[in-house]
Amino acid sequence: MSAQQRYPVLPSRMSLIAMKTRLKGAQKGHSLLKKKADALMMQHRKIMRELYNAKIEVIEEMKNSHFAVTGAIFAAGDISFSIQESMKIEPYKASIEVHNVAGVSIPTLLPESGDSSVDNIISGIGKGGAEIKDARLKFRDTLGTLVNIAALQTQWVVLDEAMKVTNRRVNALEKV
């Protein structure tokens, strides 16, 4: 080993104690970073599982929503103009909440509960109006699932970036 790779230390008891405390601090920092990387990996896998399930679920919801629209068209006839005239639909609202996972801030979209705009809809007499309301509710649920997918994908990207940085730091401490 050459003299340039060594750390300059005087051979004294005080230096020995200082080096031992530095080594202990570095080992503690490495173990904490390793725990953080493991926590981020667990959360990453959890989000991937939820994202996969949500994407499978949205396929079925889309089928059901479009089938409900077909049923509404069959029951109510041509509904395009009647919906535009009678429905004043509120926009879909979601709030942003930030969670902290191992020191990483992860944004989450939460849909606002309570959809009172469905009760006010008068879109036909008889079964056609009920079918239109049902189709609207199904599309509203599908939209909620799509918002959930968008939130999960955002969380996944944020966690992935944090995991890369943390794993680089862990590997750097292991290789030193």
Side-chain angles (χ1 to χ4, degrees), residues 121-168:
I121 297 173
I122 302 171
S123 56
I125 300 173
K127 189 152 174 72
E131 290 291 326
I132 291 172
K133 286 181 186 178
D134 183 47
R136 183 195 178 282
L137 285 175
K138 286 188 179 182
F139 266 105
R140 190 83 167 180
D141 292 341
T142 304
L143 182 62
T145 305
L146 290 172
V147 168
N148 186 29
I149 288 173
L152 287 172
Q153 285 180 332
T154 303
Q155 292 173 10
W156 186 84
V157 167
V158 169
L159 270 178
D160 190 49
E161 195 62 36
M163 273 181 25
K164 286 179 186 176
V165 170
T166 304
N167 285 335
R168 281 189 203 124

Side-chain angles (χ1 to χ4, degrees), residues 54-117:
K55 285 184 177 184
I56 297 298
E57 179 184 345
V58 81
I59 293 169
E60 197 63 35
E61 285 186 10
M62 283 290 211
K63 288 178 189 175
N64 293 338
S65 299
H66 285 288
F67 188 72
V69 168
T70 304
I73 290 173
F74 179 74
D78 186 22
I79 59 173
S80 61
F81 184 71
S82 63
I83 285 180
Q84 291 176 5
E85 285 297 315
S86 67
M87 290 189 181
K88 303 295 184 239
I89 300 172
E90 297 177 13
Y92 189 85
K93 296 178 184 175
S95 59
I96 297 176
E97 191 174 292
V98 179
H99 294 288
N100 188 358
V101 176
V104 178
S105 299
I106 301 172
T108 306
L109 288 175
L110 300 174
E112 291 185 6
S113 61
D115 190 14
S116 61
S117 65

Side-chain angles (χ1 to χ4, degrees), residues 37-47 49 159 163:
D38 292 341
L40 290 175
M41 181 62 78
M42 285 179 20
Q43 187 71 17
H44 189 264
R45 288 182 181 159
K46 178 184 168 203
I47 288 175
R49 210 174 13 247
L159 270 178
M163 273 181 25

